[in-house]
Each structure stands twice: as C-alpha cells, then as structure tokens.
Amino acid sequence: MNEIFERVKRASRKLALISDDTKNRILCAVSDAIGVNKDEILAANAKDLSAMDKSNPLYDRLLLTEQRLQGIASDIKHVATLPTPLGHITKERTLENGLYLRRVSVPFGVIGVIYEARPNVSFDVFSLCFKSGNACILKGGKDADNSNRAIVTLIRKILEQNGVNPDVVALLPATHEATAEMLNAVGYVDLCIPRGGKKLISFVRDNAKVPVIETGAGVVDTYFDEYGDIEKGKAIVFNAKTRRVSVCNALDCLIIHRSRLQDLAELCAPMAEKNVVIYADELSHQALEGRYPYLEKADADTFGTEWMDYKLALKTVNSIDEALEHINRYGSGHSESIITENEDNALRFQKEVDAACVYVNAPTSFTDGAQFGMGAEIGISTQKLGARGPMALEEMTTYKWLINGNGQTRNN
C-alpha cells in the first residue's frame, strides 16, 4: 500500500499548479463521460447488486440507475460552477515592524475516505477533492467493488486524457487490511473521513493514527409539538421517513406531545402506504391500536436505533422539556426537527438541541450538501471540532500563514 500512498502524495503536490479553469473543464469532462459510459457503469453495478439480497437496507444505497447517474453528473457540473475555496484570505494584518501577514485557505493534501455500499461516493469525493486541490484515496466496501472500480477507472482515464496525473485519485482493495493500512498511513494521508454506519465510524475513530473527521451515523428525531400543524406534520413526517430510508438523514423516531395523541393516527396514516412498521411506547400504542396497520410495541432497544429501513420509533412526551431530554439522550448530533406554530418553542428547540442541523417545520431529508447549495458532499459531520454538518468544498480546506518581510529580524 505504501507504493500507492507515495504515488498519490507525490501527485497531490502538483495539484497546486492546476488552474481552477482547468479543474472545471476536467470536472465537466467527467460529468459528460458518465452519460457516454453509463452502460459500463450500470453493468458493473448490476454485478454488485446480484450479490446482495434486495431486502437488505443497503440495497437502495448500492443501486445505480440511469436517473441517479444523471443526478450525479449534474452534481459534478454544479461543483465545477462553484467558486474555488482556495486562496481566500481569512485574516490579514501588517505588524508594527512592517511584516505583512495573511491567513490563506489551502488544501489538506491527501484525503482518505472509507465508505460502504455507496458507489456515488466515489464520484462525490473525487469532484470535491479535485476542485479543492486535494488528492483522494478511496476505500470502498466489497459490496460495491465492481461499481467503484468502473467509476475510478473512468475518472483516471479522463484525467490522463487531460494531461493530469491520474494518481490524484486511487482506489484501494476492498479488504479490511487496506482499511488498516490507510488508518496508519502517517505522512501520506493528511485526513481520513469515514462514511458509513456507527460500527465503521467507531472502528475508524478508535484505530486511526491519522487525523479523522467523524461523519454521522444518523439517529434522527422529529418532535410534533402541542402547537404542531397536522397538515404540515403529515407531509414532513412522511417525507423524512420514506423519501429514502437507507440514508443518514432519514427519520428514526417521531416524538409527540401527549396532548396531540388524538391526532396521531392521522399524522401517521400516510406512512401506511409504504408499510412503515411503527414501534410505539405504551401511550402512543394505545392511541394507534386498531387505527394503524403496522404496529409493534417498543422495547429497550427501540430508541437510539438508526433503522435504515421502513421502521420508526414512536415516543410520547408531556412537554418540550421531555422532548429535548429524549433527543439529547438518544440523538447522534446529526439532524433534528420540530413541528410547531409556537415561535418560542421553535426558538428554544433550535437553541437547546445539540446537533449539526436543527429544523423548524421542515423534514430532515434536506440535510444534504447539494440541497444546501454546496454541490456534492463528502459526508455529514456530527463532531464539534472542525467541520460540522454537510461537508463540501470549504470543509476540504485548511489554512496556512503567509508572511512577507523586507529584512526584518527579531530582537533577542
């Protein structure tokens, strides 16, 4: 692996010499190549899909379609239209001794990304890293290996055709040994970003010797307040839960104020169309019994679960205080939402909830770099140090100080 790491590190140093116009032209070429080569990509993806049970929640994440490829290509072109995140002067001053100081945004260098059955991540990571002047080392899961290899082969071909060293992107073998090598690649990998479930993220955090930015596992809640609007609530809950159940911004737990239990059946009714199984606590179970077809009783493991499936936890609370306590106990710091017409409760919720993204009267399904107008995203960071929330171009930069002098020396 060190040979791969060395080639990528060497190639990363030359990225600083490539103009933003050239980067944008190459990104557009990659975008166009997706359409031209869609049959090869979809054939590789079909091999991966054939080895996975369709009932597996990861199947939807793994699936590429012509429509999804069109969306990926559009996102890459959008990244090409965004202003460069490099060279921004974030601080500057001239000292009394005449030294001129500037703090300027620069790339990290080499970014390693470890991810599971999501081949779209290969395109997303490359486009954001390349635009922000970073080389990238990709470590995908075995479930998506054929797809990832087809994608990276295509990207490297376009880079070579445009006179850029293709080693600015590399794909490691889909093995546990390769993961361990990346996590220990001190001096080669400047930053590692895990993108996947809680187990993967915990493993990376606990074993990495290189710097890590954590991305969410998303245990996501929505609180239907005593002042919630039922029509807004139905649309928001349905969208947050069922738009795509396998993604990290999907709703996992609906919290409802006790005074609104009479509206619970109406609130949940749209989800029955998608056969969503609700695991309800005692009070909400009583309110839904005989009025909702897919109903189970909650147990000790219900709350704090990231379902990635057509399943939902349901919790009854007596006050907004209890709702906040539940979220702060079981949430993962990813995305939380309140449905309310009470401005004081909305403001309090956004102030007190400790999460990267906090919504009022909107579904958590909007937690996405593209939806935030950032282009594609590398992931949703749930930590507090460094990047937080959707990570796109700006989050792929660090800074350095540039100091210009004219012969000044420091006193002893």
Side-chain angles (χ1 to χ4, degrees):
M1 296 295 168
N2 283 350
E3 184 180 343
I4 296 173
F5 298 151
E6 178 61 41
R7 291 203 308 266
V8 176
K9 188 72 172 179
R10 193 182 305 117
S12 73
R13 300 188 187 106
K14 300 298 183 182
L15 280 173
L17 304 177
I18 301 176
S19 70
D20 196 49
D21 286 343
T22 300
K23 291 176 187 173
N24 294 338
R25 176 170 50 79
I26 292 172
L27 287 173
C28 288
V30 171
S31 175
D32 292 338
I34 292 173
V36 174
N37 296 273
K38 65 179 184 296
D39 291 340
E40 291 88 340
I41 297 172
L42 292 176
N45 185 240
K47 290 181 182 179
D48 292 328
L49 291 168
S50 68
M52 181 179 286
D53 190 328
K54 287 187 177 181
S55 65
N56 189 327
L58 294 180
Y59 189 91
D60 181 62
R61 286 188 173 192
L62 177 60
L63 175 66
L64 291 175
T65 64
E66 188 168 344
Q67 184 179 6
R68 287 185 179 182
L69 287 177
Q70 289 173 353
I72 291 168
S74 177
D75 285 344
I76 293 174
K77 282 196 173 176
H78 180 58
V79 170
T81 69
L82 297 174
T84 178
L86 303 176
H88 295 174
I89 298 174
T90 56
K91 285 186 180 181
E92 64 178 326
R93 65 174 66 97
T94 300
L95 304 182
E96 290 184 4
N97 61 12
L99 286 178
Y100 174 47
L101 280 65
R102 289 160 291 157
R103 193 176 77 177
V104 181
S105 58
V106 297
F108 279 100
V110 176
I111 295 178
V113 180
I114 302 171
Y115 53 108
E116 294 171 330
R118 298 191 68 169
N120 64 294
V121 172
S122 299
F123 280 121
D124 293 347
V125 170
F126 166 73
S127 62
L128 290 171
C129 284
F130 188 66
K131 175 79 174 183
S132 59
N134 294 286
C136 57
I137 299 175
L138 307 175
K139 167 56 184 71
K142 63 181 180 180
D143 292 330
D145 195 44
N146 290 295
S147 305
N148 289 331
R149 295 204 170 280
I151 290 167
V152 173
T153 297
L154 177 62
I155 292 171
R156 288 172 63 89
K157 179 181 177 181
I158 299 299
L159 288 167
E160 202 162 16
Q161 289 174 350
N162 285 271
V164 174
N165 187 341
D167 287 330
V168 298
V169 55
L171 178 67
L172 298 184
T175 63
H176 294 301
E177 291 77 12
T179 299
E181 291 283 348
M182 181 188 287
L183 297 182
N184 287 277
V186 176
Y188 296 114
V189 175
D190 297 292
L191 177 66
C192 181
I193 302 172
R195 182 166 176 175
K198 184 177 181 180
K199 184 177 179 181
L200 171 65
I201 294 165
S202 296
F203 177 83
V204 170
R205 181 187 61 238
D206 295 342
N207 292 276
K209 291 184 179 179
V210 298
V212 172
I213 291 181
E214 291 185 43
T215 61
V219 178
V220 174
D221 306 279
T222 293
Y223 170 49
F224 190 76
D225 187 40
E226 61 181 312
Y227 303 105
D229 180 276
I230 189 65
E231 294 303 321
K232 290 179 185 178
K234 285 193 294 185
I236 290 168
V237 171
F238 180 74
N239 185 257
K241 178 66 257 181
T242 67
R243 192 194 75 85
R244 286 188 67 185
V245 296
S246 64
V247 294
C248 61
N249 59 28
L251 179 61
D252 295 298
C253 180
L254 173 62
I255 305 167
I256 186 166
H257 193 279
R258 185 170 183 168
S259 67
R260 301 303 299 273
L261 285 174
Q262 73 272 14
D263 298 312
L264 183 57
E266 183 179 355
L267 185 65
C268 295
M271 291 187 287
E273 301 171 16
K274 297 287 187 177
N275 302 329
V276 175
V277 179
I278 294 178
Y279 295 84
D281 66 2
E282 185 176 351
L283 287 174
S284 58
H285 191 279
Q286 291 173 7
L288 287 180
E289 197 165 17
R291 305 179 69 191
Y292 186 84
Y294 310 104
L295 187 62
E296 302 286 344
K297 290 187 176 181
D299 60 26
D301 297 322
T302 296
F303 303 110
T305 295
E306 183 182 15
W307 297 105
M308 294 192 297
D309 202 347
Y310 288 95
K311 298 177 180 179
L312 180 71
L314 182 53
K315 174 69 175 178
T316 308
V317 295
N318 293 307
S319 64
I320 188 173
D321 298 89
E322 286 189 20
L324 291 167
E325 179 61 30
H326 181 90
I327 289 169
N328 288 327
R329 178 178 178 183
Y330 292 104
S332 63
H334 189 292
S335 300
E336 308 288 352
S337 180
I338 183 174
I339 301 166
T340 187
E341 298 302 305
N342 184 296
E343 291 185 8
D344 290 337
N345 283 2
L347 181 61
R348 183 181 172 195
F349 189 87
Q350 289 194 307
K351 282 185 175 181
E352 291 193 34
V353 168
D354 184 12
C357 300
V358 186
Y359 294 83
V360 173
N361 292 329
T364 54
S365 50
F366 282 109
T367 301
D368 177 86
Q371 293 295 314
F372 280 21
M374 302 162 73
E377 72 176 29
I378 282 188
I380 308 295
S381 173
T382 56
Q383 65 181 35
K384 297 183 184 181
L385 181 63
R388 199 175 196 200
M391 297 170 58
L393 288 174
E394 289 186 14
E395 289 71 34
M396 294 299 98
T397 64
T398 180
Y399 62 81
K400 65 182 176 184
W401 287 92
L402 303 179
I403 304 96
N404 288 47
N406 190 31
Q408 294 95 329
T409 59
R410 184 172 175 177
N411 296 331
N412 293 330

